[in-house]
Amino acid sequence: MLKSLEIDNFKGIKNVKINDLNHINLFGGKNNIGKTTILEALFMFYDRFNPLLVIRQFNRRGVSSFNLAKSHSIWEPLFYEYNSGLEVKIQVKRRNGFTEKLALKVLKGDLESKINLTNDTLLNNSPKSNTGTRDFGNTKLNLLYKSDKGEEESNIILDGEQITLDSSGRPHNIDNLTGVFLSSKNHSNAVEEAEKFGQLEMYGESDKILDFLKIMENRLRDLTTITANGDTMLYADIGIGRKVPIYYMGDGFVRLVSIILSVATAKNGFLIIDEFENGLHYSIMPEIWESIAKAAKEYNCQLFISTHSYECLQAAHEGIKQAGMNNSFVYHRVFKDTDSKLLCKSINHSVLGTALDANMEVR
């Protein structure tokens, strides 16, 4: 598990250092303060072997089109104040003392890279169009990874009609953590959830999921995947004589299913949830927090969650207490000082409870 995170020159963040990471980490703060950006930097660190790393960053923000005619580089949004002359630096430390660093910079080259684009083709990694070409200035995104055990260098290249990753290979004996990112902009995908559940069924672990879901839906007897009319999705047995698609059971239950399946999928890794409260009524949030806390313990999955809801903070405090994981929880409040420097103050479960009881503003 991760102990600390430091970020330099990434998107809207000039610099921020976050110490005292715990098993369950909740980030709060004002809108546009940098909560989501912190989570994106963390995920990008362990997504560095994916050639679509940059596109996935855009997609999670709900960006599905790119007006490249007015952009000097597709890489610019990754850099502080769009300055691609800077170097993005991300450093993480694990609890065992293992330190990892990632540096991103734009390199000038001789690639003669031009690409044909429509509004949405970059997301499919097969851009094609007859509307003209865009010269990317012969650049590529360089990723340099260093750790206590070795280093590796990669380049993400826009070349012709494809995006490629040219890598020198992974360092030996480096345990790259598995991560899952649940975006606030993208809804649950029925096919993906069925596939995740199928993976658990394959290894006989699907029954564990039921216990975490019954905290919210006590009628639940079983879950199974069913293919009907060409579509495969999860169905629930709630004791009414037939199984029903989980998507007929309410947004809160569907949200919990998605979260629990993601926790199990990211076993021994981490799960990121951006804007936890989206689509959830405040009255059911304590039960959801209790459920995902217990699942995180079962699957040894570290949680990184953002919110700007006071009700979510209250629910987290209550749910974590019910799960008996007070010592595994930290609330990180992100804010700017009088000099506009980004800071992060971390407080434990007990201190958060005291603040909430006193009606203090801690968002």
Side-chain angles (χ1 to χ4, degrees), residues 26-284:
L26 179 60
F27 292 84
K30 295 180 179 179
N31 287 335
N32 202 38
I33 199 69
K35 301 185 299 296
T36 298
T37 304
I38 290 171
L39 302 183
E40 288 175 329
L42 173 59
F43 188 81
M44 185 178 71
F45 191 99
Y46 292 104
D47 196 37
R48 62 185 180 275
F49 296 111
N50 191 331
L52 294 181
L53 173 150
V54 179
I55 304 305
R56 282 153 67 96
Q57 290 276 331
F58 294 145
N59 193 24
R60 279 191 293 271
R61 292 281 186 162
V63 178
S64 58
S65 62
F66 309 89
N67 188 359
L68 298 177
K70 296 182 179 180
S71 175
H72 296 294
S73 170
I74 195 173
W75 319 122
E76 284 182 346
L78 294 178
F79 294 85
Y80 181 66
E81 295 185 344
Y82 277 64
N83 184 357
S84 58
L86 297 174
E87 184 175 64
V88 172
K89 295 181 180 180
I90 304 171
Q91 176 175 292
V92 299
K93 290 185 179 180
R94 304 193 192 185
R95 288 187 177 181
N96 61 5
F98 184 60
T99 301
E100 303 172 272
K101 300 178 181 180
L102 180 66
L104 282 74
K105 60 183 178 181
V106 174
L107 298 180
K108 296 292 182 179
D110 55 358
L111 297 173
E112 297 182 358
S113 295
K114 293 185 178 182
I115 194 164
N116 295 321
L117 297 169
T118 60
N119 283 338
D120 59 357
T121 48
L122 267 180
L123 293 177
N124 299 320
N125 196 21
S126 56
K128 296 177 181 178
S129 173
N130 294 319
T131 59
T133 61
R134 167 68 179 163
D135 191 335
F136 287 88
N138 299 334
T139 62
K140 54 187 175 182
L141 185 66
N142 176 262
L143 298 87
L144 179 61
Y145 169 86
K146 295 182 179 180
S147 75
D148 298 336
K149 295 184 179 180
E151 67 178 62
E152 61 94 16
E153 187 171 8
S154 302
N155 293 295
I156 298 179
I157 305 167
L158 288 168
D159 189 10
E161 293 188 350
Q162 61 182 346
I163 299 174
T164 59
L165 178 71
D166 177 24
S167 178
S168 62
R170 302 190 187 193
H172 295 295
N173 301 318
I174 297 300
D175 177 23
N176 196 56
L177 297 179
T178 298
V180 176
F181 195 117
L182 297 182
S183 171
S184 63
K185 300 291 191 299
N186 297 331
H187 298 289
S188 176
N189 184 293
V191 175
E192 290 181 1
E193 306 302 0
E195 289 178 351
K196 290 178 182 178
F197 186 77
Q199 292 175 17
L200 296 176
E201 265 192 323
M202 187 182 303
Y203 295 99
E205 296 186 0
S206 57
D207 288 345
K208 294 180 182 179
I209 298 298
L210 298 180
D211 293 334
F212 303 125
L213 299 178
K214 286 178 181 177
I215 292 176
M216 175 180 288
E217 178 53 79
N218 57 19
R219 297 177 299 167
L220 183 65
R221 299 179 178 181
D222 194 18
L223 280 179
T224 187
T225 55
I226 296 177
T227 300
N229 300 320
D231 296 323
T232 301
M233 65 176 63
L234 279 173
Y235 281 67
D237 180 355
I238 55 174
I240 63 173
R242 61 152 295 169
K243 295 179 179 180
V244 298
I246 64 168
Y247 292 89
Y248 293 171
M249 296 179 61
D251 291 342
F253 184 74
V254 172
R255 176 80 160 159
L256 179 58
V257 170
S258 178
I259 292 173
I260 297 300
L261 288 176
S262 296
V263 169
T265 302
K267 184 177 182 179
N268 298 320
F270 63 91
L271 169 64
I272 292 171
I273 306 174
D274 191 23
E275 296 185 15
F276 177 89
E277 67 275 9
N278 279 7
L280 297 176
H281 193 265
Y282 75 93
S283 62
I284 65 172

